[in-house]
Amino acid sequence: QSALTQPPSASGSPGQSVTISCTGTSSDVGGYTYVSWYQQHPGKAPKLMIYEVNKRPSGVPDRFSGSKSGNTASLTVSGLQAEDEADYYCTSYAGSNNYVFGSGTKVTVL
Amino acid sequence: QVQLQESGPGLVEPSGTLSLTCAVSGGSISNSMWWSWVRQPPGKGLEWIGEIYHSGSTNYNSSLKSRVTISVDKSKNQFSLKLNSVTAADTAVYYCARDNGRNFDNWGQGTLVTVSS
């Protein structure tokens, strides 16, 4: 199973918005509503930021939002803050009790 | 608040078996959740390894299935990973995580396992 495709990097100035794409196939992203997004700071464990395409766990700021169109899911971070600088990974349920992760995107706050 | 903690040898010889345990605290492993292992090679992305339910049912990544065994010990509230015939490509930080309905909402801190002689 191939990793979902994410851009290697994205950036924005404080207060701006950045959107990260996550492209898969009809067998994963396009076939299920089980797309989630994780934030990972250096040396730390991933943290769930978005689940089921666009739902936020308790405690995650509403600056983080998710969406999906066809085989591509997206994470938008609005009102960028310095602490948002991190790696972001998408993942999707891929059927037959399997999961596939994205290749990861490094977000830089300029 | 459920907490997960990985433990196990940090160094494994090539062709040997990698063995890790994930202790679950603050909640029962027998709750209606699946429990997963995820790994991350240095400087690279995340890879799902597999998962187990408290009943012992398992699902594995097809690319690793022939080498992986995940087991559960309900009496100790923990689950374990065994990966055999390891090579340098298996060097990674290994995380255990809780699958709360097809998303990983709780993670251990991770443990680095290096495959080297």
Side-chain angles (χ1 to χ4, degrees):
Chain A
Q1 200 129 26
S2 299
L4 305 176
T5 301
Q6 298 181 232
S9 62
S11 62
S13 299
Q16 291 187 330
S17 295
V18 65
T19 297
I20 304 165
S21 61
C22 169
T23 301
T25 69
S26 58
S27 296
D28 38 62
V29 175
Y32 303 94
T33 58
Y34 297 114
V35 176
S36 50
W37 289 89
Y38 301 84
Q39 177 191 66
Q40 186 180 35
H41 288 110
K44 299 296 186 181
K47 175 187 176 183
L48 178 66
M49 304 301 284
I50 295 287
Y51 68 100
E52 292 178 17
V53 176
N54 56 15
K55 298 178 181 178
R56 275 188 314 277
S58 174
V60 172
D62 60 6
R63 303 184 292 103
F64 291 85
S65 61
S67 62
K68 189 184 84 163
S69 178
N71 297 337
T72 298
S74 299
L75 172 72
T76 297
V77 186
S78 306
L80 267 176
Q81 299 183 5
E83 59 261 36
D84 299 333
E85 185 162 296
D87 293 327
Y88 290 83
Y89 293 90
C90 61
T91 190
S92 174
Y93 180 65
S96 301
N97 297 310
N98 266 280
Y99 296 90
V100 59
F101 277 93
S103 47
T105 298
K106 181 176 180 60
V107 169
T108 301
V109 180
L110 301 171
Chain B
Q1 172 76 349
V2 172
Q3 293 188 311
L4 291 77
Q5 178 68 58
E6 306 90 348
S7 61
L11 182 64
V12 181
E13 292 195 349
S15 77
T17 297
L18 179 158
S19 297
L20 296 174
T21 295
C22 180
V24 179
S25 60
S28 173
I29 202 168
S30 296
N31 286 342
S32 300
M33 306 285 184
W34 287 79
W35 304 89
S36 276
W37 288 98
V38 177
R39 70 180 182 178
Q40 185 172 35
K44 297 188 178 180
L46 300 164
E47 179 182 34
W48 180 73
I49 299 171
E51 63 183 2
I52 191 163
Y53 198 64
H54 63 79
S55 63
S57 296
T58 54
N59 298 307
Y60 298 128
N61 185 322
S62 56
S63 67
L64 297 169
K65 189 172 185 176
S66 63
R67 300 194 291 131
V68 173
T69 302
I70 297 176
S71 59
V72 65
D73 186 336
K74 289 185 288 185
S75 67
K76 294 182 178 179
N77 219 39
Q78 65 186 33
F79 61 107
S80 299
L81 169 70
K82 289 189 185 298
L83 179 67
N84 57 35
S85 303
V86 297
T87 69
D90 295 310
T91 293
V93 174
Y94 286 76
Y95 295 98
C96 56
R98 184 176 74 173
D99 178 351
N100 183 15
R102 310 219 182 276
N103 62 82
F104 306 107
D105 71 337
N106 210 319
W107 296 68
Q109 65 184 27
T111 187
L112 174 63
V113 179
T114 301
V115 178
S116 175
S117 55

